[in-house]
Amino acid sequence: AQSVTQLGSHVSVSEGALVLLRCNYSSSVPPYLFWYVQYPNQGLQLLLKYTSAATLVKGINGFEAEFKKSETSFHLTKPSAHMSDAAEYFCAVTLYNQGGKLIFGQGTELSVKP
Amino acid sequence: GAGVSQSPSNKVTEKGKDVELRCDPISGHTALYWYRQRLGQGLEFLIYFQGNSAPDKSGLPSDRFSAERTGESVSTLTIQRTQQEDSAVYLCASSVGQGKYEQYFGPGTRLTVT
C-alpha cells in the first residue's frame, strides 16, 4: 500500500529565506503526487501536482517541487519566504488504479519570522 | 463560480446520537470524496463516489459510518451512535474525474461529540 511521510511537523524560516518542506512516498507503481496548502480557518487548496509529465513542477505562489523517483521524494521549495506563506502544507499520493483517493502525510506547519 | 459547500459548518452532539453531514459538490464533478481530519493529524480517506459506480467504502472506520450520493450531486455522510473519537473535521472534495485530477475541497464540518 502507498504511504506518505513528511519530515518535520513544524518548520520555521525567516522572511526571504528558502522554504524546503520534505515529502517521501512509498509506492509500488508510479504515483500521482500533490501538495495542498491549508491556511488558518480555510479549506485545502492545491499548490501543485505531479502526474507523470515533467519532473519539475511549478505551482502557485512561487512554489515548485521536483519528483525524484530514485529518492522516492517530492520535496516542496520556494526561493524566498513571505509572511503570507505561513500555513499547513500537506503532501498526498494516489495511484492510477485507486480512483483518486488521496493518502495524505501528517502535514508540516510552516512559520515565517519577520 | 460556486465551490464545494458543506453544512453545517459546526455540529456539537451528544455521545450516542446520530448526525448527518451534507456536501454539495461543484456542478459537473463526477467524483466526490469524504475525508476526516482529526486534531493535529493529516487527512484520512473515508469514501468516494464516481458517477454511477459502486462507491469505494474502504476507508470507513466502522459500520456506524455510511454515506450516500444522489446521482452526481449532493452527498450525505451519516454517523450513527456517535463516539467521542468521532470528533474531527469532516472534509468533502469533488473532482472532474478520478486519479490525476485536482480535488476541490469544501470548508469542512467540525464535529464535536460531548
Side-chain angles (χ1 to χ4, degrees):
Chain A
Q2 66 271 31
S3 64
V4 174
T5 301
Q6 291 183 240
L7 294 177
S9 58
H10 291 89
V11 170
S12 182
V13 300
S14 298
E15 193 173 18
L18 171 72
V19 175
L20 171 60
L21 304 182
R22 299 178 186 273
C23 172
N24 288 88
Y25 69 91
S26 172
S27 171
S28 57
V29 298
Y32 300 136
L33 294 158
F34 304 79
W35 275 100
Y36 281 87
V37 60
Q38 187 174 34
Y39 296 104
N41 300 314
Q42 295 187 30
L44 273 78
Q45 179 183 4
L46 182 70
L47 276 177
L48 49 79
K49 64 179 181 179
Y50 166 77
T51 57
S52 74
T55 57
L56 181 62
V57 181
K58 295 186 183 298
I60 62 171
N61 301 336
F63 284 94
E64 64 181 39
E66 186 172 8
F67 171 69
K68 292 187 176 180
K69 184 178 178 181
S70 62
E71 298 178 8
T72 60
S73 69
F74 190 57
H75 301 332
L76 182 71
T77 61
K78 182 174 180 178
S80 176
H82 295 165
M83 297 296 291
S84 60
D85 294 327
E88 183 119 27
Y89 291 79
F90 292 97
C91 182
V93 64
T94 190
L95 305 179
Y96 73 95
N97 61 351
Q98 292 293 305
K101 60 184 182 184
L102 295 171
I103 304 301
F104 284 86
Q106 294 298 298
T108 297
E109 184 176 357
L110 176 66
S111 301
V112 182
K113 299 175 292 186
Chain B
V4 177
S5 61
Q6 293 185 245
S7 61
S9 55
N10 280 285
K11 176 73 176 178
V12 180
T13 189
E14 292 181 352
K15 176 182 174 181
K17 300 285 189 184
D18 297 352
V19 295
E20 272 193 4
L21 312 180
R22 177 187 170 106
C23 172
D24 282 272
I26 294 172
S27 178
H29 281 194
T30 60
L32 186 148
Y33 304 82
W34 283 98
Y35 297 90
R36 177 170 71 176
Q37 185 176 23
R38 293 177 171 172
L39 186 64
Q41 299 186 24
L43 282 77
E44 174 189 8
F45 165 77
L46 297 177
I47 185 171
Y48 89 86
F49 300 87
Q50 170 59 45
N52 295 319
S53 302
D56 180 338
K57 305 178 182 181
S58 60
L60 295 179
S62 77
D63 59 8
R64 295 187 296 105
F65 287 72
S66 63
E68 294 183 346
R69 187 181 187 192
T70 307
E72 293 186 351
S73 61
V74 171
S75 175
T76 55
L77 177 69
T78 301
I79 308 173
Q80 296 179 311
R81 304 181 302 281
T82 52
Q83 304 294 312
Q84 288 188 330
E85 62 262 29
D86 299 334
S87 296
V89 176
Y90 290 82
L91 292 162
C92 174
S94 70
S95 175
V96 297
Q98 303 176 49
K100 61 183 180 180
Y101 300 101
E102 175 180 359
Q103 294 182 23
Y104 293 81
F105 283 81
T109 294
R110 182 175 299 277
L111 175 65
T112 303
V113 182
T114 61

